[in-house]
């Protein structure tokens, strides 16, 4: 185990350490899974899965020193092996491994400032979690909500807590694919038409229904200046009250 003096200190160094340990753990839970499974004998003492900075993995007893030099992985992963479905057990180990990887990274990052910690997490968040790889799951994308504002192909327009509208450009092909996946079953509250990523849509902040911009006569430019959009139906209800 590395000494404190030789520990990674910069964001890039910490992320490199995180990535190497992640590779080792992924190898244990995928390519070397049979060997890993056999090493986790429930008859043995408390065992932990370690990922090392040289991209290797190890199943071993926890560190004897208290407190340990680094945060320790989940203790006793071997005890649950035979009491669970193999796939479920591996998924459980993967979840705990993700937690351990994050704890080690932010242990090393204790002296980072706010912006550096944010950048470190952003780098980590760009790669799939161990759990996602082991279970072959794709990261779940956020679904539209009442705060989502309007959306058009190539960009997403969202409101911040102070009511300001912020636009985040995306590559057109990426945005098109994401929009189709996120809104595939969304119907226009006016005409009933299906969502299409090449058309401009806007969401009502009151009833949370989505509309073609052309159906409610709202253009992308006009949407930028709207702090809270009310669809025609909600506007009519309010006027009657």
């Amino acid at each position: 185990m590395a000494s404190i003096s030789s520990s990674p200190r910069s964001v890039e160094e910490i992320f490199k350490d995180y990535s190497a340990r992640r590779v080792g753990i992924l190898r244990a839970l995928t390519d070397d899974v049979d060997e890993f499974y056999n090493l986790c004998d429930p008859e043995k003492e408390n065992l932990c899965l370690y990922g090392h900075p040289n991209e290797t993995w190890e199943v071993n007893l926890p560190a004897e020193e208290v407190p340990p030099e680094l945060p320790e992985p989940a203790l006793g992963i071997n005890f649950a092996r035979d009491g669970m479905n193999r796939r479920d057990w591996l998924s459980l180990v993967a979840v705990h491994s993700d937690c351990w990887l994050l704890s080690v990274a932010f242990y090393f990052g204790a002296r980072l400032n706010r912006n550096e910690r944010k950048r470190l997490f952003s780098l980590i968040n760009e790669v799939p979690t161990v759990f996602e790889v082991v279970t072959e799951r794709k990261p779940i994308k956020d679904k539209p909500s009442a705060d989502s504002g309007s959306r058009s192909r190539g960009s997403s327009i969202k409101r911040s807590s102070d009511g300001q509208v912020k636009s985040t450009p995306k590559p057109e092909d990426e945005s098109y694919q994401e929009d189709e996946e996120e809104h595939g079953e969304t119907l226009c509250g006016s005409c009933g038409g299906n969502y299409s990523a090449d058309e401009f849509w806007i969401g009502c902040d009151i009833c949370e229904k989505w509309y073609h911009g052309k159906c409610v006569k709202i253009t992308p430019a006009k949407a930028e200046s709207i702090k809270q959009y009310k669809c025609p139906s909600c506007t009519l209800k309010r006027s009657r009250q």
Side-chain angles (χ1 to χ4, degrees):
M1 198 172 286
S3 65
I4 294 299
S5 60
S6 62
S7 297
R9 293 181 178 276
S10 70
V11 171
E12 289 72 21
E13 289 173 342
I14 296 171
F15 179 65
K16 183 179 179 180
D17 180 89
Y18 168 90
S19 299
R21 293 176 189 273
R22 174 180 172 275
V23 168
I25 287 176
L26 281 174
R27 186 171 290 132
L29 298 178
T30 54
D31 295 342
D32 301 341
V33 66
D34 290 333
E35 180 185 354
F36 168 69
Y37 188 86
N38 291 331
L39 286 173
C40 293
D41 186 347
E43 298 300 320
K44 295 181 180 179
E45 295 183 52
N46 292 306
L47 295 176
C48 302
L49 171 61
Y50 294 89
H52 295 304
N54 61 355
E55 300 187 358
T56 62
W57 61 273
E58 177 186 16
V59 171
N60 208 339
L61 296 171
E64 294 182 0
E65 55 189 324
V66 179
E69 187 174 341
L70 287 178
E72 284 290 304
L75 181 67
I77 57 173
N78 52 313
F79 294 151
R81 192 196 72 176
D82 292 348
M84 300 176 65
N85 172 277
R86 174 167 165 152
R87 185 178 181 83
D88 292 340
W89 177 72
L90 290 172
S91 298
L92 180 64
V93 175
V95 170
H96 282 293
S97 296
D98 280 319
C99 295
W100 177 69
L101 288 170
L102 283 173
S103 68
V104 172
F106 281 88
Y107 172 83
F108 285 139
R111 294 182 177 85
L112 297 178
N113 62 37
R114 178 181 179 182
N115 290 332
E116 289 172 332
R117 290 195 303 271
K118 184 177 181 180
R119 186 154 62 91
L120 174 60
F121 182 77
S122 294
L123 289 171
I124 292 173
N125 206 36
E126 285 299 312
V127 296
T129 64
V130 174
F131 176 76
E132 286 170 344
V133 175
V134 170
T135 59
E136 299 179 350
R137 295 189 182 188
K138 293 182 179 180
I140 299 174
K141 299 182 178 69
D142 293 336
K143 293 183 178 180
S145 66
D147 296 328
S148 296
S150 56
R151 181 182 294 270
S152 63
R153 183 180 179 182
S155 67
S156 61
I157 304 173
K158 296 185 179 181
R159 294 188 183 85
S160 60
S161 58
D162 60 1
Q164 296 298 313
V165 178
K166 297 182 179 180
S167 178
T168 306
K170 290 184 179 180
E172 187 169 322
D173 291 341
E174 178 186 343
S175 179
Y176 184 91
Q177 182 179 1
E178 288 184 2
D179 280 359
E180 289 289 3
E181 292 176 356
E182 290 180 357
H183 304 277
E185 299 179 358
T186 301
L187 301 179
C188 175
S190 179
C191 71
N194 288 321
Y195 176 81
S196 174
D198 57 3
E199 295 180 297
F200 175 75
W201 284 62
I202 187 167
C204 176
D205 290 312
I206 305 301
C207 66
E208 301 186 21
K209 291 182 180 179
W210 287 76
Y211 297 85
H212 288 111
K214 62 184 180 182
C215 289
V216 291
K217 298 181 181 180
I218 299 292
T219 64
K222 188 175 180 179
E224 287 280 359
S225 62
I226 299 175
K227 291 185 177 181
Q228 184 183 55
Y229 175 68
K230 297 178 185 176
C231 67
S233 178
C234 290
T235 300
L236 185 61
K237 289 178 182 178
R238 288 294 178 93
S239 65
R240 288 176 176 175
Q241 292 177 354

